[in-house]
Short mmCIF file of all heavy atoms in Angstrom, two decimals:
data_model
loop_
_atom_site.label_atom_id
_atom_site.label_comp_id
_atom_site.label_asym_id
_atom_site.label_seq_id
_atom_site.Cartn_x
_atom_site.Cartn_y
_atom_site.Cartn_z
N TYR X 117 96.19 120.56 129.09
CA TYR X 117 95.62 121.50 130.05
C TYR X 117 96.68 122.19 130.91
O TYR X 117 96.34 123.01 131.75
CB TYR X 117 94.61 120.79 130.97
CG TYR X 117 95.17 119.63 131.76
CD1 TYR X 117 95.92 119.84 132.91
CD2 TYR X 117 94.93 118.32 131.37
CE1 TYR X 117 96.43 118.78 133.64
CE2 TYR X 117 95.42 117.26 132.09
CZ TYR X 117 96.17 117.48 133.22
OH TYR X 117 96.68 116.44 133.93
N ASN X 118 97.95 121.88 130.73
CA ASN X 118 98.98 122.53 131.54
C ASN X 118 99.04 124.02 131.22
O ASN X 118 98.95 124.42 130.05
CB ASN X 118 100.35 121.91 131.30
CG ASN X 118 100.46 120.49 131.83
OD1 ASN X 118 101.04 119.63 131.20
ND2 ASN X 118 99.88 120.24 133.00
N ILE X 119 99.18 124.84 132.25
CA ILE X 119 99.33 126.28 132.06
C ILE X 119 100.58 126.74 132.80
O ILE X 119 101.03 126.10 133.76
CB ILE X 119 98.10 127.07 132.53
CG1 ILE X 119 97.90 126.96 134.04
CG2 ILE X 119 96.86 126.60 131.80
CD1 ILE X 119 96.72 127.78 134.57
N ALA X 120 101.15 127.83 132.35
CA ALA X 120 102.38 128.35 132.96
C ALA X 120 102.06 128.98 134.31
O ALA X 120 101.12 129.76 134.44
CB ALA X 120 103.03 129.38 132.05
N ALA X 121 102.84 128.63 135.31
CA ALA X 121 102.74 129.26 136.62
C ALA X 121 103.62 130.50 136.64
O ALA X 121 104.51 130.67 135.81
CB ALA X 121 103.18 128.28 137.71
N CYS X 122 103.35 131.37 137.60
CA CYS X 122 104.12 132.60 137.75
C CYS X 122 104.41 132.81 139.23
O CYS X 122 103.48 133.05 140.02
CB CYS X 122 103.35 133.79 137.19
SG CYS X 122 104.28 135.34 137.22
N ALA X 123 105.66 132.70 139.63
CA ALA X 123 106.04 132.94 141.02
C ALA X 123 106.05 134.44 141.27
O ALA X 123 106.76 135.19 140.62
CB ALA X 123 107.42 132.34 141.29
N LYS X 124 105.23 134.86 142.24
CA LYS X 124 105.13 136.28 142.50
C LYS X 124 105.00 136.51 144.01
O LYS X 124 104.74 135.56 144.76
CB LYS X 124 103.93 136.88 141.76
CG LYS X 124 102.56 136.45 142.31
CD LYS X 124 101.43 137.12 141.58
CE LYS X 124 100.10 136.84 142.26
NZ LYS X 124 98.95 137.39 141.54
N HIS X 125 105.25 137.75 144.47
CA HIS X 125 105.80 138.88 143.74
C HIS X 125 107.26 138.98 144.14
O HIS X 125 107.56 139.10 145.33
CB HIS X 125 105.08 140.17 144.10
CG HIS X 125 103.59 140.10 143.92
ND1 HIS X 125 102.74 139.57 144.86
CD2 HIS X 125 102.80 140.51 142.90
CE1 HIS X 125 101.49 139.66 144.43
NE2 HIS X 125 101.49 140.22 143.25
N PHE X 126 108.13 138.94 143.17
CA PHE X 126 109.56 138.89 143.42
C PHE X 126 110.09 140.31 143.59
O PHE X 126 110.07 141.07 142.62
CB PHE X 126 110.23 138.18 142.24
CG PHE X 126 111.67 137.82 142.47
CD1 PHE X 126 112.01 136.89 143.44
CD2 PHE X 126 112.67 138.38 141.70
CE1 PHE X 126 113.33 136.53 143.64
CE2 PHE X 126 113.99 138.04 141.89
CZ PHE X 126 114.32 137.11 142.86
N ALA X 127 110.51 140.69 144.79
CA ALA X 127 110.50 139.94 146.04
C ALA X 127 110.38 140.95 147.19
O ALA X 127 110.65 142.14 147.05
CB ALA X 127 111.77 139.12 146.20
N GLY X 128 109.95 140.41 148.35
CA GLY X 128 109.83 141.19 149.57
C GLY X 128 108.53 141.95 149.70
O GLY X 128 108.34 142.69 150.67
N TYR X 129 107.60 141.77 148.77
CA TYR X 129 106.36 142.54 148.75
C TYR X 129 105.53 142.33 150.02
O TYR X 129 104.84 143.23 150.50
CB TYR X 129 105.58 142.13 147.51
CG TYR X 129 104.31 142.87 147.20
CD1 TYR X 129 104.16 144.23 147.47
CD2 TYR X 129 103.26 142.21 146.57
CE1 TYR X 129 102.99 144.90 147.14
CE2 TYR X 129 102.08 142.88 146.23
CZ TYR X 129 101.95 144.22 146.52
OH TYR X 129 100.79 144.88 146.19
N GLY X 130 105.61 141.12 150.61
CA GLY X 130 104.83 140.82 151.80
C GLY X 130 105.27 141.56 153.04
O GLY X 130 104.59 141.49 154.08
N ALA X 131 106.38 142.27 152.98
CA ALA X 131 106.89 143.02 154.13
C ALA X 131 106.58 144.50 154.03
O ALA X 131 107.27 145.33 154.65
CB ALA X 131 108.40 142.81 154.26
N ALA X 132 105.53 144.86 153.29
CA ALA X 132 105.17 146.26 153.10
C ALA X 132 105.00 146.97 154.44
O ALA X 132 104.35 146.45 155.36
CB ALA X 132 103.88 146.37 152.29
N GLU X 133 105.57 148.16 154.56
CA GLU X 133 105.53 148.92 155.81
C GLU X 133 104.09 149.10 156.29
O GLU X 133 103.21 149.51 155.54
CB GLU X 133 106.16 150.30 155.61
CG GLU X 133 107.67 150.30 155.67
CD GLU X 133 108.21 151.72 155.68
OE1 GLU X 133 107.56 152.62 155.11
OE2 GLU X 133 109.28 151.94 156.26
N GLY X 134 103.86 148.80 157.57
CA GLY X 134 102.57 149.01 158.19
C GLY X 134 101.47 148.13 157.63
O GLY X 134 100.29 148.35 157.92
N GLY X 135 101.83 147.12 156.81
CA GLY X 135 100.82 146.30 156.17
C GLY X 135 100.04 147.04 155.10
O GLY X 135 98.99 146.57 154.65
N ARG X 136 100.53 148.21 154.67
CA ARG X 136 99.84 149.01 153.66
C ARG X 136 100.32 148.57 152.28
O ARG X 136 101.51 148.63 151.98
CB ARG X 136 100.10 150.51 153.86
CG ARG X 136 99.57 151.06 155.16
CD ARG X 136 99.75 152.57 155.26
NE ARG X 136 101.13 152.98 155.12
CZ ARG X 136 102.02 152.97 156.11
NH1 ARG X 136 101.67 152.56 157.32
NH2 ARG X 136 103.27 153.37 155.91
N ASP X 137 99.37 148.16 151.45
CA ASP X 137 99.72 147.62 150.14
C ASP X 137 100.51 148.64 149.31
O ASP X 137 100.30 149.84 149.43
CB ASP X 137 98.46 147.22 149.39
CG ASP X 137 98.68 146.01 148.50
OD1 ASP X 137 99.84 145.61 148.31
OD2 ASP X 137 97.69 145.44 148.01
N TYR X 138 101.40 148.09 148.50
CA TYR X 138 102.27 148.84 147.58
C TYR X 138 103.38 149.60 148.29
O TYR X 138 104.20 150.25 147.63
CB TYR X 138 101.46 149.83 146.72
CG TYR X 138 100.20 149.28 146.12
CD1 TYR X 138 98.96 149.82 146.40
CD2 TYR X 138 100.25 148.19 145.24
CE1 TYR X 138 97.79 149.29 145.85
CE2 TYR X 138 99.10 147.65 144.69
CZ TYR X 138 97.87 148.21 145.00
OH TYR X 138 96.73 147.69 144.46
N ASN X 139 103.44 149.55 149.62
CA ASN X 139 104.42 150.36 150.33
C ASN X 139 105.83 149.79 150.23
O ASN X 139 106.05 148.64 149.86
CB ASN X 139 104.02 150.51 151.80
CG ASN X 139 103.28 151.81 152.05
OD1 ASN X 139 102.40 152.18 151.30
ND2 ASN X 139 103.64 152.50 153.10
N ALA X 140 106.77 150.64 150.62
CA ALA X 140 108.18 150.26 150.57
C ALA X 140 108.47 149.11 151.51
O ALA X 140 107.80 148.90 152.51
CB ALA X 140 109.04 151.47 150.95
N THR X 141 109.49 148.34 151.15
CA THR X 141 109.98 147.27 152.02
C THR X 141 111.48 147.47 152.24
O THR X 141 112.22 147.75 151.30
CB THR X 141 109.73 145.88 151.41
OG1 THR X 141 110.42 145.76 150.16
CG2 THR X 141 108.24 145.66 151.16
N TYR X 142 111.87 147.34 153.49
CA TYR X 142 113.28 147.45 153.86
C TYR X 142 113.67 146.18 154.59
O TYR X 142 113.22 145.92 155.71
CB TYR X 142 113.51 148.68 154.73
CG TYR X 142 113.28 149.98 153.98
CD1 TYR X 142 112.03 150.60 153.99
CD2 TYR X 142 114.30 150.55 153.23
CE1 TYR X 142 111.81 151.77 153.29
CE2 TYR X 142 114.09 151.72 152.52
CZ TYR X 142 112.85 152.33 152.56
OH TYR X 142 112.63 153.48 151.84
N ILE X 143 114.47 145.36 153.93
CA ILE X 143 114.80 144.03 154.45
C ILE X 143 116.31 143.85 154.37
O ILE X 143 116.89 143.87 153.27
CB ILE X 143 114.10 142.92 153.64
CG1 ILE X 143 112.60 143.20 153.53
CG2 ILE X 143 114.34 141.56 154.28
CD1 ILE X 143 111.88 142.26 152.58
N PRO X 144 116.99 143.65 155.50
CA PRO X 144 118.43 143.39 155.45
C PRO X 144 118.72 142.18 154.57
O PRO X 144 117.94 141.21 154.55
CB PRO X 144 118.78 143.10 156.91
CG PRO X 144 117.69 143.72 157.70
CD PRO X 144 116.46 143.62 156.87
N GLU X 145 119.83 142.21 153.85
CA GLU X 145 120.10 141.16 152.88
C GLU X 145 120.14 139.75 153.48
O GLU X 145 119.62 138.81 152.86
CB GLU X 145 121.39 141.44 152.11
CG GLU X 145 121.59 140.48 150.95
CD GLU X 145 122.79 140.79 150.09
OE1 GLU X 145 123.33 141.92 150.19
OE2 GLU X 145 123.21 139.89 149.33
N PRO X 146 120.72 139.53 154.65
CA PRO X 146 120.67 138.17 155.19
C PRO X 146 119.24 137.67 155.40
O PRO X 146 118.91 136.52 155.08
CB PRO X 146 121.41 138.29 156.53
CG PRO X 146 122.29 139.48 156.38
CD PRO X 146 121.52 140.43 155.51
N THR X 147 118.37 138.53 155.93
CA THR X 147 116.97 138.15 156.13
C THR X 147 116.27 137.99 154.79
O THR X 147 115.46 137.07 154.60
CB THR X 147 116.24 139.21 156.97
OG1 THR X 147 116.92 139.36 158.21
CG2 THR X 147 114.80 138.81 157.24
N LEU X 148 116.57 138.87 153.85
CA LEU X 148 115.98 138.77 152.52
C LEU X 148 116.29 137.42 151.90
O LEU X 148 115.41 136.73 151.39
CB LEU X 148 116.52 139.90 151.64
CG LEU X 148 116.02 139.95 150.20
CD1 LEU X 148 114.53 140.28 150.15
CD2 LEU X 148 116.82 140.97 149.39
N ARG X 149 117.55 137.03 151.96
CA ARG X 149 117.95 135.77 151.33
C ARG X 149 117.43 134.56 152.10
O ARG X 149 116.96 133.58 151.49
CB ARG X 149 119.48 135.70 151.24
CG ARG X 149 120.08 136.62 150.18
CD ARG X 149 121.58 136.48 150.11
NE ARG X 149 122.18 137.24 149.02
CZ ARG X 149 122.32 136.79 147.77
NH1 ARG X 149 121.90 135.57 147.47
NH2 ARG X 149 122.87 137.54 146.84
N GLN X 150 117.49 134.60 153.40
CA GLN X 150 117.15 133.42 154.20
C GLN X 150 115.64 133.22 154.31
O GLN X 150 115.17 132.07 154.37
CB GLN X 150 117.75 133.55 155.60
CG GLN X 150 117.63 132.30 156.46
CD GLN X 150 118.63 132.30 157.58
OE1 GLN X 150 119.81 132.61 157.39
NE2 GLN X 150 118.19 131.98 158.78
N VAL X 151 114.88 134.30 154.32
CA VAL X 151 113.44 134.20 154.54
C VAL X 151 112.65 134.49 153.27
O VAL X 151 111.90 133.65 152.77
CB VAL X 151 113.00 135.15 155.68
CG1 VAL X 151 111.48 135.12 155.85
CG2 VAL X 151 113.70 134.80 156.97
N TYR X 152 112.81 135.69 152.73
CA TYR X 152 111.92 136.14 151.67
C TYR X 152 112.26 135.59 150.29
O TYR X 152 111.37 135.41 149.45
CB TYR X 152 111.90 137.67 151.63
CG TYR X 152 111.25 138.27 152.85
CD1 TYR X 152 111.99 138.59 153.99
CD2 TYR X 152 109.88 138.48 152.89
CE1 TYR X 152 111.39 139.10 155.12
CE2 TYR X 152 109.26 139.00 154.01
CZ TYR X 152 110.02 139.31 155.14
OH TYR X 152 109.40 139.81 156.26
N LEU X 153 113.53 135.30 150.03
CA LEU X 153 113.91 134.76 148.72
C LEU X 153 113.83 133.24 148.67
O LEU X 153 113.77 132.66 147.58
CB LEU X 153 115.33 135.21 148.35
CG LEU X 153 115.55 136.70 148.12
CD1 LEU X 153 116.95 136.94 147.55
CD2 LEU X 153 114.50 137.30 147.19
N ALA X 154 113.84 132.59 149.81
CA ALA X 154 113.91 131.12 149.83
C ALA X 154 112.80 130.46 149.02
O ALA X 154 113.08 129.54 148.22
CB ALA X 154 113.90 130.62 151.28
N PRO X 155 111.53 130.85 149.15
CA PRO X 155 110.50 130.19 148.33
C PRO X 155 110.68 130.43 146.83
O PRO X 155 110.32 129.58 146.02
CB PRO X 155 109.19 130.82 148.83
CG PRO X 155 109.51 131.35 150.19
CD PRO X 155 110.93 131.80 150.11
N PHE X 156 111.23 131.58 146.46
CA PHE X 156 111.44 131.87 145.04
C PHE X 156 112.57 131.03 144.47
O PHE X 156 112.49 130.56 143.33
CB PHE X 156 111.71 133.36 144.84
CG PHE X 156 110.50 134.22 145.08
CD1 PHE X 156 110.30 134.86 146.29
CD2 PHE X 156 109.54 134.36 144.10
CE1 PHE X 156 109.18 135.63 146.52
CE2 PHE X 156 108.41 135.14 144.32
CZ PHE X 156 108.23 135.78 145.53
N LYS X 157 113.61 130.85 145.25
CA LYS X 157 114.69 129.96 144.81
C LYS X 157 114.15 128.56 144.61
O LYS X 157 114.47 127.87 143.63
CB LYS X 157 115.81 129.95 145.85
CG LYS X 157 116.99 129.07 145.46
CD LYS X 157 118.02 128.99 146.56
CE LYS X 157 118.58 130.35 146.88
NZ LYS X 157 119.56 130.29 148.00
N SER X 158 113.31 128.13 145.53
CA SER X 158 112.69 126.82 145.42
C SER X 158 111.81 126.73 144.19
O SER X 158 111.75 125.70 143.52
CB SER X 158 111.88 126.54 146.69
OG SER X 158 111.41 125.21 146.72
N ALA X 159 111.11 127.83 143.85
CA ALA X 159 110.24 127.85 142.67
C ALA X 159 111.04 127.71 141.38
O ALA X 159 110.58 127.09 140.42
CB ALA X 159 109.42 129.14 142.65
N VAL X 160 112.22 128.30 141.33
CA VAL X 160 113.09 128.13 140.16
C VAL X 160 113.42 126.66 139.98
O VAL X 160 113.31 126.09 138.88
CB VAL X 160 114.38 128.96 140.30
CG1 VAL X 160 115.36 128.61 139.18
CG2 VAL X 160 114.07 130.44 140.26
#
């Protein structure tokens, strides 16, 4: 019954401008790595 998981959405999607879906995200690299990429690194 095991199924493949998929870590999504790589990456920064949750920071969409104005909370509007599909919008651009602008995240400085230190913040990107320390905050937004951390769960994905853990998922690997």
Side-chain angles (χ1 to χ4, degrees):
Y117 59 78
N118 292 140
I119 65 177
C122 184
K124 69 178 188 184
H125 305 83
F126 191 65
Y129 185 34
E133 279 189 331
R136 297 185 303 277
D137 213 349
Y138 314 120
N139 263 44
T141 62
Y142 293 92
I143 308 172
E145 189 175 344
T147 303
L148 179 67
R149 287 181 174 273
Q150 188 160 315
V151 176
Y152 292 91
L153 295 188
F156 290 98
K157 181 185 299 178
S158 188
V160 171

